Every structure is written in C-alpha cells, then in structure tokens.
C-alpha cells in the first residue's frame, strides 16, 4: 500500500503542529508521498513586498510578480524546511516541484471570465508515475510542492489538492493507493461545530443524499466531489482526517 498525505494551510502555518505532523508521518512504515500547499505565508510575504494579493472565490490570481514569490516560498522555503525536518526524523525525503525530474506537467488555465494568470491545470497525463515510482523504489520519500511546469520553460501555481489527487490516480497503476487529505477537522461532520458528529464512512450514494439534505454543504462539497472522482479513477481509499490523527481510526473514510 502506498500512502499519500496532503497537508494545507492550517498545518503549514503552525510550526509546532507541522513538526508534530511530520513526526507522525515519519512513523508511517508504508511507502509514502507528501504533498503540501503554501498556507497563508504567501499573502503575508506578498504584502511585505508591497504586492497586493488577489483572490477570486478563494483562488489566487497569479501574475508574474506573485509567481516569483510563491515559487520561492512553496518550492523553496516551505519545501526545503519540510525536507530538512523529515531528515531529522530519519526519512530520506526528496523535495520536488513538478519541474524537477519532469514529475508533473501542467497546462495554463484558459481564460474564460477570469484570467488566473500563471495557474496550471492537470489532466490524466500530467504525472510521470514511473518517475515517482523510481524514487519510491529507491527508498526516497517524495515531498511535492504546489508548483508545476509546462516543458516550455514556464512555471505554474497549481492547486495542491489537485496535485495529490492526480498523483494518487497515476500511481494506482503501480500500487494500491490510500490518499489522505489532512486538515484541521477530525473528518466530515454532521455539525461543523461538533467533533462528536463525525461521519466515519461515506459511499457516493450516501454522499449525494447528505448533499441533498444540506448536511454537507459549501466548502466541503468541492473536496468531496474531487475525492469521489479519485475513487472512481482507481484509488483504493480516500480519507479525510485531522493532521494529528493520521494513526488513529478517527477519520472519515470514503469508499
């Protein structure tokens, strides 16, 4: 079983929790991959540099100046800090952007009503699964950031959930894959303010009913829609789990 973990803003922004998560991650005995986003650090750094962050519906507009900053932060400071911490925990980690070893190629998001700038979209051919498999078989642990490329010399800011999903799908040709979306809730909740209302497992039929009943709504819907697409594409299991609960049964299992 190959286990893929994706971490995002909440955990990236908290250095104590990030260190605790990485320690837990290092204890996972199965082959593994870590995919990380950038947290709120990009907006902070942009403001410090006098560049106004631009967001539309929670998605970053990435002009050239912004791309320069997020590339340095995601592929540089955050990625290498994670790799260094994993080395401390005796995990031989390999920090990668999509451009490194041509792991992940993207296409520039087309302009419809909004020009997102240097934002990359992925498809089923984007991930070089054989290359990632070669790293894993060499006892390396890939740590992938949210920067991709197009083989034409351009870098792109790319959604980390999308990267984790496409990597999981691509590698399901070689392994049974478990994909873990790690965030700051214990899983999918019937009541967002009550951790004891955890839904421990959901299949697609149950999910459609929970959406219709408006028990699951707003921000969770894109994440869960994506997760069920991943399962339909051949990934064995997808979990939504608190980043500090990855070795417990407290999670939502999608099947």
């Amino acid at each position: 079983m190959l286990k893929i973990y994706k971490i995002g803003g909440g955990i990236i922004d908290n250095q104590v929790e990030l260190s605790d998560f990485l320690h837990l991650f290092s204890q996972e005995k199965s082959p593994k991959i870590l995919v990380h986003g950038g947290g709120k650090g990009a907006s902070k750094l942009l403001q410090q540099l006098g560049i106004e962050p631009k967001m539309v519906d929670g998605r970053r507009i990435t002009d050239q100046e912004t791309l320069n900053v997020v590339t340095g932060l995601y592929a540089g400071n955050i990625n290498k800090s994670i790799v260094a911490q994993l080395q401390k925990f005796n995990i031989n980690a390999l920090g990668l952007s999509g451009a490194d070893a041509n792991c992940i190629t993207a296409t520039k998001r087309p302009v419809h009503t909004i020009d997102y700038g240097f934002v990359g979209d992925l498809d089923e051919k984007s991930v070089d699964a054989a290359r990632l498999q070669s790293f894993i078989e060499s006892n390396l642990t890939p740590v992938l950031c949210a920067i991709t490329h197009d083989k034409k010399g351009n870098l792109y800011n790319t959604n980390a959930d999308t990267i984790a999903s496409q990597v999981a799908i691509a590698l399901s040709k070689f392994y049974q894959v478990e994909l873990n979306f790690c965030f700051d809730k214990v899983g999918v909740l019937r009541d967002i303010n009550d951790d004891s209302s955890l839904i421990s497992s959901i299949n697609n039929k149950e999910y459609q009913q929970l959406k219709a009943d408006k028990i699951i709504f707003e921000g969770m819907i894109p994440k869960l829609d994506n997760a069920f697409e991943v399962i339909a594409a051949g990934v064995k299991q997808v979990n939504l789990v608190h980043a500090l609960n990855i070795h417990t049964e407290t999670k939502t299992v999608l099947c």
Side-chain angles (χ1 to χ4, degrees):
M1 173 78 77
L2 171 69
K3 297 192 177 182
I4 299 174
Y5 295 85
K6 185 269 171 179
I7 55 173
I11 193 81
I12 294 285
D13 294 328
N14 185 319
Q15 289 302 305
V16 173
E17 288 193 358
L18 176 59
S19 181
D20 289 344
F21 166 79
L22 293 173
H23 187 226
L24 293 170
F25 176 81
S26 72
Q27 295 170 339
E28 175 57 62
K29 301 303 182 188
S30 300
K32 52 191 174 287
I33 291 175
L34 180 59
V35 180
H36 67 84
K40 295 178 182 174
S43 292
K44 262 196 211 170
L45 185 54
L46 286 164
Q47 288 171 334
Q48 288 170 3
L49 295 170
I51 304 167
E52 187 60 34
K54 303 180 191 74
M55 309 286 286
V56 176
D57 296 331
R59 295 172 184 258
R60 188 178 301 282
I61 304 293
T62 307
D63 58 19
Q64 185 64 61
E65 277 189 313
T66 301
L67 179 68
N68 293 342
V69 171
V70 299
T71 299
L73 185 64
Y74 300 170
N77 184 266
I78 293 174
N79 187 264
K80 300 315 171 194
S81 294
I82 288 172
V83 168
Q85 288 196 63
L86 288 174
Q87 299 291 357
K88 178 180 74 172
F89 296 131
N90 296 313
I91 297 297
N92 199 6
L94 177 65
L96 300 164
S97 72
D100 295 303
N102 193 34
C103 287
I104 306 172
T105 54
T107 56
K108 189 174 185 290
R109 181 168 297 168
V111 177
H112 296 300
T113 54
I114 299 166
D115 183 355
Y116 284 97
F118 292 94
V119 168
D121 289 331
L122 308 184
D123 60 28
E124 67 279 0
K125 296 178 181 176
S126 291
V127 177
D128 187 341
R131 181 72 65 195
L132 291 174
Q133 183 199 31
S134 73
F135 295 144
I136 293 163
E137 298 301 317
S138 298
N139 294 316
L140 295 167
T141 296
V143 178
L144 295 162
C145 72
I147 299 295
T148 59
H149 79 131
D150 64 1
K151 286 200 78 174
K152 299 174 184 175
N154 300 302
L155 295 171
Y156 294 118
N157 187 11
T158 301
N159 182 274
D161 280 357
T162 303
I163 290 175
S165 298
Q166 289 298 329
V167 167
I169 292 167
L171 282 164
S172 66
K173 299 177 180 68
F174 298 106
Y175 305 94
Q176 285 194 329
V177 175
E178 177 187 286
L179 173 58
N180 297 275
F181 288 108
C182 305
F183 64 140
D184 57 359
K185 296 290 182 184
V186 294
V188 180
L189 304 175
R190 289 183 177 275
D191 178 351
I192 193 67
N193 298 310
D194 181 5
D195 282 358
S196 69
S197 68
L198 175 71
I199 304 171
S200 59
S201 69
I202 313 174
N203 62 35
N204 200 11
K205 184 177 179 183
E206 291 166 338
Y207 170 51
Q208 298 306 325
Q209 189 60 52
L210 288 164
K211 275 202 296 189
D213 294 341
K214 299 195 183 309
I215 292 169
I216 294 174
F217 58 96
E218 293 180 350
M220 285 303 297
I221 288 176
K223 191 177 285 290
L224 288 169
D225 283 348
N226 176 61
F228 279 108
E229 288 171 9
V230 169
I231 290 171
V235 172
K236 184 172 179 60
Q237 184 174 313
V238 178
N239 303 320
L240 278 77
V241 60
H242 194 287
L244 302 183
N245 285 349
I246 60 173
H247 296 320
T248 75
E249 294 304 311
T250 306
K251 65 184 72 171
T252 299
V253 178
L254 307 185
C255 51

